[in-house]
Amino acid sequence: MTILEQMLLNTDSAVILGHVRPDGDCLGSALGLYNYIRSFRPDIRTAVYLEEASPKFAYLKGFEEIRHRTDDESYRLCICVDSSDRERLGEFAVYLDRAQASLCLDHHVTNTGYGECSVVEAGASSTCEVLFGQMDEKYIDKSVAECLYTGIVHDTGVFKFSCTSPKTMEIAGRLMGKGVDFGNIIDDSFYRKTYIQNQILGRALLESITFLDGRCIFSAIRQNEMKFYGVDGKDMDGIIDQLRLTEGVEVAIFMYQTGASEYKVSLRSQNIVDVSRVASFFGGGGHVRAAGCTMSGSIHDVINNLSLHIEKQLNEREQEG
Ligand code: 5GP
Ligand code: MN
């Protein structure tokens, strides 16, 4: 029996939490688990608490039932998915404090081990992949499969990032076998953009700047620009992916303003720089090739601070090789 199955057999209530600004893997694993519990142990009182997510994920079963505000409820078991540290749970960390038992399911190399029990597989493509390994396939119905497939698609950039393994593909195949509409999931949740989202993508690309001899690229969107286009953080998905694909670029940086002098930063690397180390230094985290953090100062300050760390790693590699 897996740790998840054991813990579910020993509880009558469970709360599922993820990370702030939930993405495809966070939503997929939280709702995948929610739907799984409903089929595996329907007697368990279960709820999911997450910040508001992009409506493009509304096809996931249970999306409308996600609670977005804290309340006075408490649950015996707290399961945290895709969140590498306690702070990333945001305001919903109170349910972790109120719970008698906790389980953390994750795939971040920077996971701090904040859960009482943890299943952290840094080699897994996604938390959805980790979750699949914890589930009894008998209880994975189409709705669970759609959630897990969505998470895997998003964290692998549609099966192409280096975190994609033969095992990832096997799991995706098993999920396809449950009848998921894979083409529409990929198009509607990953590639499709609203007109405004395309405009902000275009603007970010137009204003991007390369530095460190073209080995790095960055682009920044200020709050006044976000206001002008009427977009928020959820509309910026995919910008970093396009910056990352600029020829000759090792590290791509995208940031958008979240406060007077505060920026949410996304980092991606090609094959040299460990961006999880860079992000961790500034209080964030993530994976070797994809990480993020929140930084203060002007755009200039943020880039200066980041470039010191990136350049150091690039130089180390040059000396080695
Ligand atoms: P993204 O750039 O798409 O927001 O995030 C890339 C990866 O880094 C994801 O796995 C995400 O969970 C992680 N990440 C992004 N921002 C933060 C942060 O502020 N703190 C931590 N610990 N991880 C982050
Ligand atoms: Mn993830």
Side-chain angles (χ1 to χ4, degrees), residues 14-191:
V15 60
I16 301 167
L17 310 178
H19 60 75
V20 291
R21 302 188 182 96
D23 58 11
D25 188 33
C26 176
L27 280 163
S29 49
L31 290 175
L33 181 55
Y34 180 64
N35 294 319
Y36 177 78
I37 295 175
R38 290 170 127 200
S39 104
F40 175 66
R41 281 283 316 273
D43 53 310
I44 297 179
R45 180 171 61 89
T46 310
V48 180
Y49 290 81
L50 288 173
E51 288 181 357
E52 298 257 5
S54 167
K56 70 184 180 184
F57 293 112
Y59 66 90
L60 297 173
K61 189 177 168 197
F63 185 84
E64 300 299 337
E65 290 159 55
I66 299 176
R67 303 181 185 193
H68 304 299
R69 293 198 196 299
T70 48
D71 51 30
D72 296 331
E73 298 273 348
S74 54
Y75 304 83
R76 197 180 170 86
L77 171 64
C78 177
I79 307 178
C80 305
V81 295
D82 204 38
S83 180
S84 56
D85 55 57
R86 199 183 175 284
E87 292 64 47
R88 294 267 290 160
L89 300 172
E91 59 173 309
F92 303 119
V94 291
Y95 298 103
L96 177 61
D97 301 333
R98 290 178 201 162
Q100 276 141 284
S102 64
L103 170 63
C104 175
L105 299 170
D106 190 23
H107 70 127
H108 289 96
V109 64
T110 52
N111 189 286
T112 56
Y114 63 97
E116 190 193 334
C117 272
S118 306
V119 181
V120 179
E121 294 171 15
S125 66
S126 52
T127 298
C128 284
E129 183 174 325
V130 177
L131 191 53
F132 181 89
Q134 290 290 313
M135 289 174 165
D136 180 340
E137 239 183 291
K138 262 204 315 284
Y139 298 98
I140 300 183
D141 61 15
K142 190 176 169 199
S143 72
V144 175
E146 281 168 347
C147 294
L148 300 186
Y149 193 85
T150 297
I152 293 175
V153 161
H154 278 258
D155 265 21
T156 59
V158 193
F159 307 110
K160 66 180 161 55
F161 295 158
S162 57
C163 61
T164 315
S165 69
K167 188 177 167 197
T168 314
M169 302 308 286
E170 274 166 35
I171 294 172
R174 303 287 269 265
L175 298 172
M176 275 170 89
K178 301 276 178 185
V180 304
D181 187 351
F182 51 91
N184 276 335
I185 289 181
I186 293 172
D187 267 350
D188 294 346
S189 76
F190 196 86
Y191 289 112

Side-chain angles (χ1 to χ4, degrees), residues 209-256:
I209 295 171
T210 57
F211 61 107
L212 293 179
D213 294 329
R215 287 177 300 172
C216 294
I217 191 164
F218 85 89
S219 189
I221 300 283
R222 292 181 182 80
Q223 252 168 357
N224 59 353
E225 294 166 308
M226 292 170 67
K227 214 167 148 193
F228 177 82
Y229 287 99
V231 295
D232 63 24
K234 298 193 278 296
D235 295 305
M236 317 278 201
D237 273 10
I239 295 179
I240 187 71
D241 295 312
Q242 194 51 46
L243 290 172
R244 185 186 73 88
L245 288 171
T246 313
E247 200 167 299
V249 160
E250 166 60 22
V251 177
I253 303 167
F254 174 67
M255 55 183 155
Y256 63 88

Side-chain angles (χ1 to χ4, degrees), residues 249-301:
V249 160
E250 166 60 22
V251 177
I253 303 167
F254 174 67
M255 55 183 155
Y256 63 88
Q257 197 173 9
T258 47
S261 52
E262 187 189 80
Y263 288 85
K264 178 77 192 82
V265 178
S266 284
L267 298 162
R268 300 290 184 270
S269 65
Q270 206 60 37
N271 47 43
I272 300 173
V273 175
D274 178 349
V275 286
S276 76
R277 262 170 61 197
V278 179
S280 296
F281 185 87
F282 295 105
H287 312 284
V288 176
R289 300 278 165 255
C293 54
T294 296
M295 292 177 69
S296 32
S298 64
I299 293 175
H300 197 81
D301 296 333

